[in-house]
């Protein structure tokens, strides 16, 4: 009888949903469409695809529902298939965006200040003859100290370790949230937080495009960024002075001298004519002297009288 009693309890508990507190809920039959046989639990709502803002002619992936900052439904290759994938890619995107923003500012600043800082510390500059920074396309990476690369690796590893630690320990962690806000600019309300996150990711995306354009532009034109668009990086009076000097140079162009068609001897004309003149003079002088003699005058007079 005891066995039958225990068996009946066990069989009846199959229809009871266990609450979070461990107390049993009232006896009820399972829903016919309940997943995994979880009785009494409502079926989770299925996500409905929405139109992509970036590609209005197609639907956005189900994971891109607009809840994440900067989400415009752009994933044409379908990388973010799950929520975990989406968080992983956003973490990578925000890291690259922050590095790109630092690089987009550091690239022109290094072209402006490298020589001054190097001379201040008595170090050789790393810019090339055209004033371009070292890069994979420009070359000159060998001029950077290995200690600098080592420091960069150590700093990057430390920041990444801190981020992984924070992601696993902070409740409600969002990708890229390192808790770094020394000036207290991060808003407290949810609307303000999302606005700040959106502003950061948009500026980071623009910076990633900009730093790529910097590299290819300098490689193709061999002109430094600060010289290509000086009005963005130099004081306006300096830009106007350079423009004035360029205008003066253009107003007085150099005279073009055509190459000679015939290659004449460079011997001075006087050195050729002087011997000829001397020869003619020596030939004429005796005749003049003979004509002016008394005998010649007498002969001419007799001829005229006759």
């Amino acid at each position: 009888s005891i066995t039958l009693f225990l068996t009946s309890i066990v069989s009846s508990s199959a229809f009871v949903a266990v609450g979070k507190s461990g107390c049993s809920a009232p006896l009820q039959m399972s829903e016919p469409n309940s997943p995994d046989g979880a009785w009494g639990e409502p079926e989770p709502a299925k996500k409905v695809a929405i139109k992509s803002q970036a590609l209005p002619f197609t639907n956005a992936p189900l994971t891109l529902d607009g809840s994440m900052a900067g989400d415009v439904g752009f994933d044409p290759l379908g990388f973010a298939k799950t929520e975990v994938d989406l968080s992983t890619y956003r973490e990578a995107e925000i890291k690259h965006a922050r590095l790109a923003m630092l690089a987009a500012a550091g690239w022109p600043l290094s072209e402006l200040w490298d020589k001054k800082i190097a001379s201040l510390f008595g170090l050789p500059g790393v810019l090339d003859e055209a004033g371009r920074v070292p890069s994979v396309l420009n070359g000159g990476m060998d001029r950077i100290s290995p200690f600098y690369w080592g420091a960069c690796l150590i700093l990057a590893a430390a920041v990444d370790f801190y981020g992984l630690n924070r992601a696993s320990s902070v409740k409600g962690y969002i990708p890229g949230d390192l808790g770094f806000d020394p000036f207290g600019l991060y808003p407290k309300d949810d609307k303000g937080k999302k606005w700040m996150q959106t502003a950061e990711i948009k500026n980071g995306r623009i910076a990633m495009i900009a730093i790529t354009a910097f590299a290819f532009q300098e490689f193709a034109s061999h002109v430094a960024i600060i010289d290509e668009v000086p009005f963005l990086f130099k004081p306006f009076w300096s830009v106007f002075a350079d423009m004035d000097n360029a205008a003066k140079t253009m107003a007085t162009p150099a005279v073009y001298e055509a190459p000679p068609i015939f290659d004449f001897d460079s011997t001075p004309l006087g050195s050729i004519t002087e011997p000829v003149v001397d020869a003619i003079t020596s030939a004429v002088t005796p005749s003049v002297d003979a004509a002016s003699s008394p005998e010649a005058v007498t002969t001419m007079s007799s001829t005229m009288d006759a």
Side-chain angles (χ1 to χ4, degrees):
S1 59
I2 296 176
T3 304
L4 182 60
F5 176 76
L6 294 176
T7 304
S8 62
I9 292 178
V10 172
S11 60
S12 63
S13 65
F15 298 91
V16 179
V18 180
K20 294 182 179 179
S21 60
C23 301
S24 60
L27 191 66
Q28 55 186 353
M29 297 297 291
S30 64
E31 297 287 340
N33 296 326
S34 296
D36 330 12
W39 296 293
E41 295 182 2
E43 185 178 1
K46 293 182 178 179
K47 288 187 176 182
V48 179
I50 60 176
K51 286 292 182 183
S52 170
Q53 297 181 33
L55 304 171
F57 51 85
T58 185
N59 290 333
L62 294 178
T63 52
L64 301 180
D65 55 3
S67 59
M68 183 174 284
D71 175 14
V72 292
F74 184 80
D75 185 18
L77 301 181
F79 289 131
K81 294 181 175 61
T82 64
E83 296 293 338
V84 176
D85 291 340
L86 180 62
S87 297
T88 303
Y89 282 118
R90 170 47 63 91
E91 189 80 40
E93 182 185 28
I94 196 67
K95 287 179 180 179
H96 284 82
R98 288 167 177 170
L99 286 173
M101 286 188 282
L102 291 173
W107 189 300
L109 289 178
S110 62
E111 292 182 344
L112 286 171
W113 297 340
D114 175 77
K115 294 180 180 178
K116 298 178 181 178
I117 296 176
S119 61
L120 180 65
F121 291 96
L123 299 173
V126 297
L127 303 182
D128 63 6
E129 294 78 9
R132 301 178 304 167
V133 300
S135 70
V136 175
L137 297 179
N138 291 345
M141 301 290 282
D142 55 327
R143 293 195 291 268
I144 307 301
S145 172
F147 294 104
Y148 171 80
W149 296 121
C152 288
L153 288 175
I154 293 173
L155 179 61
V159 172
D160 207 36
F161 178 77
Y162 174 76
L164 292 173
N165 217 8
R166 183 176 173 82
S168 60
S169 59
V170 175
K171 186 178 180 181
Y173 172 82
I174 61 174
D177 180 16
L178 299 178
F180 182 76
D181 185 24
F183 300 105
L185 301 177
Y186 196 57
K188 304 298 182 184
D189 59 302
D190 294 338
K191 184 178 179 180
K193 288 179 180 179
K194 188 170 183 179
W195 183 91
M196 186 69 78
Q197 294 166 14
T198 304
E200 181 184 29
I201 196 63
K202 284 186 175 180
N203 283 278
R205 288 167 178 169
I206 293 174
M208 285 188 281
I209 296 173
I211 198 65
T212 305
F214 284 1
F216 281 101
Q217 185 272 330
E218 288 199 352
F219 173 72
S221 67
H222 298 280
V223 178
I225 291 295
I226 60 172
D227 296 327
E228 189 76 27
V229 281
F231 55 88
L232 293 178
F233 306 107
K234 296 180 181 179
F236 65 91
W237 56 85
S238 177
V239 175
F240 288 152
D242 293 341
M243 291 173 62
D244 184 55
N245 294 334
K248 291 179 180 178
T249 304
M250 293 177 63
T252 56
V255 177
Y256 174 73
E257 296 182 0
I261 299 176
F262 301 104
D263 190 9
F264 292 104
D265 189 5
S266 59
T267 306
L269 186 60
S271 62
I272 300 175
T273 57
E274 286 177 2
V276 176
V277 172
D278 293 341
I280 296 172
T281 304
S282 61
V284 173
T285 302
S287 301
V288 174
D289 293 340
S292 60
S293 62
E295 294 81 2
V297 173
T298 306
T299 302
M300 290 179 64
S301 298
S302 301
T303 304
M304 291 177 67
D305 290 341

